[in-house]
Amino acid sequence: MPMVNLKPLLAEAKAQGYAVAAFNPVDYASMKAMIVAAEECNAPVIIQTSAKTINYYGHDVLAGWMRQLTQNSPIPAVLHLDHGKDFEMIKRCVESGWTSVMIDASDQPFDENLEATRKVVEIATAANVGVEAEIGQIHGVEEDIVVAEEDSQLTDPAEAEIFCRELDLAAFAAAIGTAHGYYHGEPNVAFDLIGEINKRTNTPMALHGGTGLEDEVIQRCIKLGCAKINISTNLKHIFVDSFAEYHRNNPNDYEPLRVLTAQFDALKALFKEKITQFGGANHGSEALSKVA
Ligand code: 13P
C-alpha cells in the first residue's frame, strides 16, 4: 500500500477513540521495525523524521526506504516530518514523497506563525499532504530544538481556536504540560486545557513528549482527543542499550548481524507495546479501507 495522508488517518483514529503511534527512525532497521510492528499489530503507524535525520541521510534515501517498506504492506503508514522549521526543507519533503509535514513556527508571534503555517498548508494540500502545526512552546530538547522551562508556554485556547479555524490542519500540536526527553519528576499535564482546546478546535491533537508518561495519563489524553502520540527518546535509549546489552551478554560474539537482530527485536517489541497501549492494534485494515 502506498503511504497515506495524515489527515484522514487521524480523523478516523479520533472517531474510533484511539491514537496512532508516531516514532522517529534513526536508520533503515529502526524504520523497518516500525512497519513490521504495525503489520504484526494490524495497526496504522506514523514514521516521523526529524530535520536532523533528514540532514544526515538526505530526503531521497529516507523516502526510498519508506517506499520499499510500505509498497506491499497491508496497513496504512504515514511518512511525516517532525518539527519542520525551514520552509525549503518542508517543500522538499512535500516534493519527495512525505505524506505529512509539521511546520513548527511556535517560537514566532501568533500572526507570523499563522502566516508561515498558511504557506505550508497551501503547498501541502495541493500535493495531498497533511499538515501538523503548533502554537505554545513545548518544553525540552527535541534534536536541535531546545526550549528551556522558562521559555515554554502553554497553548492559549482562544488562539488555538482561531488558528484551527483559519487553517485546515491534519493535527494540532499544543503545549499542554508534556515535554520532550525524559521527565524529571511528575509531568504536570493540563487535562482541562486539552479538553478545552479539543472542544474549541475539533482538530485531532498531536501529543508531543510521549516518552515516560504513565498509562493513565495516556488514556486520559486519548479520551480528550489526542489522536497522535510521539515517541522518540524511548527508542533512542533502546537502540543504544539493546546493542550494548547484547555485547555484555555475548562478549565473544563478533557476528554483527546477530547484534543487529537483537537490536531490531528490542525495538520492535517497544513499538508493538506502544501501538497497543495507544489503542491502534486491530484497526489497520479497517483504517486503510477508509483512507486509501
Ligand atoms: P519524547 O522525547 O518524549 O519521546 O517525544 C518525542 C516527540 O514529541 C517528538 O516530536
Side-chain angles (χ1 to χ4, degrees), residues 24 48 82-83 142 179-181 208-211 230-234:
N24 296 56
Q48 52 181 18
D82 192 24
H83 292 283
E142 177 52 37
H180 294 123
H208 285 248
T211 297
N230 293 358
I231 299 285
S232 174
T233 303
N234 218 169

Side-chain angles (χ1 to χ4, degrees), residues 105-175:
S106 61
D107 53 344
Q108 294 177 33
F110 179 81
D111 288 342
E112 285 164 43
N113 185 351
L114 185 69
E115 285 324 303
T117 306
R118 199 190 299 282
K119 217 170 122 193
V120 169
V121 170
E122 255 169 45
I123 60 158
T125 306
N128 190 26
V129 168
V131 177
E132 176 180 336
E134 171 179 337
I135 57 176
Q137 286 235 275
I138 298 168
H139 168 222
V141 179
E142 177 52 37
E143 303 290 14
D144 294 330
I145 304 166
V146 181
V147 179
E149 191 151 17
E150 60 273 22
D151 295 331
S152 65
Q153 276 172 33
L154 292 187
T155 300
D156 175 343
E159 284 189 353
E161 184 176 342
I162 300 168
F163 199 75
C164 292
R165 197 174 50 221
E166 288 284 317
L167 304 164
D168 193 15
L169 299 176
F172 178 60

Side-chain angles (χ1 to χ4, degrees), residues 196-218:
E196 193 184 346
I197 292 172
N198 269 289
K199 222 170 39 225
R200 286 181 177 230
T201 65
N202 203 25
T203 303
M205 191 184 276
L207 183 68
H208 285 248
T211 297
L213 292 179
E214 296 286 342
D215 186 52
E216 191 221 329
V217 172
I218 298 271

Side-chain angles (χ1 to χ4, degrees), residues 84-291:
K85 289 257 173 210
D86 173 46
F87 184 75
E88 285 311 309
M89 167 169 284
I90 294 172
K91 187 161 166 271
R92 183 89 197 272
C93 286
V94 169
E95 292 163 356
S96 306
W98 268 248
T99 52
S100 177
V101 287
M102 177 178 183
I103 155 85
D104 176 0
S106 61
D107 53 344
Q108 294 177 33
F110 179 81
D111 288 342
E112 285 164 43
N113 185 351
L114 185 69
E115 285 324 303
T117 306
R118 199 190 299 282
K119 217 170 122 193
V120 169
V121 170
E122 255 169 45
I123 60 158
T125 306
N128 190 26
V129 168
V131 177
E132 176 180 336
E134 171 179 337
I135 57 176
Q137 286 235 275
I138 298 168
H139 168 222
V141 179
E142 177 52 37
E143 303 290 14
D144 294 330
I145 304 166
V146 181
V147 179
E149 191 151 17
E150 60 273 22
D151 295 331
S152 65
Q153 276 172 33
L154 292 187
T155 300
D156 175 343
E159 284 189 353
E161 184 176 342
I162 300 168
F163 199 75
C164 292
R165 197 174 50 221
E166 288 284 317
L167 304 164
D168 193 15
L169 299 176
F172 178 60
I176 43 85
T178 57
H180 294 123
Y182 275 117
Y183 291 97
H184 308 288
E186 279 290 294
N188 194 4
V189 179
F191 295 107
D192 290 351
L193 180 60
I194 303 178
E196 193 184 346
I197 292 172
N198 269 289
K199 222 170 39 225
R200 286 181 177 230
T201 65
N202 203 25
T203 303
M205 191 184 276
L207 183 68
H208 285 248
T211 297
L213 292 179
E214 296 286 342
D215 186 52
E216 191 221 329
V217 172
I218 298 271
Q219 301 311 330
R220 276 182 82 179
C221 290
I222 295 172
K223 272 209 185 72
L224 289 167
C226 293
K228 169 178 182 278
I229 303 182
N230 293 358
I231 299 285
S232 174
T233 303
N234 218 169
L235 83 90
K236 286 179 178 176
H237 280 249
I238 289 190
F239 186 88
V240 175
D241 290 346
S242 59
F243 195 98
E245 188 181 310
Y246 184 88
H247 183 58
R248 238 187 348 266
N249 294 337
N250 305 274
N252 300 317
D253 188 356
Y254 279 88
E255 170 46 57
L257 294 179
R258 269 197 294 270
V259 192
L260 292 180
T261 301
Q263 188 186 49
F264 181 89
D265 290 345
L267 287 170
K268 192 179 79 174
L270 168 74
F271 301 144
K272 287 178 78 167
E273 181 197 319
K274 294 297 171 191
I275 286 168
T276 306
Q277 185 189 18
F278 303 162
N282 302 317
H283 284 287
S285 17
E286 173 199 26
L288 184 59
S289 69
K290 296 198 179 153
V291 305

Side-chain angles (χ1 to χ4, degrees), residues 45-66:
V45 70
I46 299 160
I47 312 298
Q48 52 181 18
T49 57
S50 66
K52 197 173 178 179
T53 306
I54 295 177
N55 286 331
Y56 189 85
Y57 292 106
H59 285 82
D60 293 345
V61 168
L62 291 165
W65 289 347
M66 259 311 263

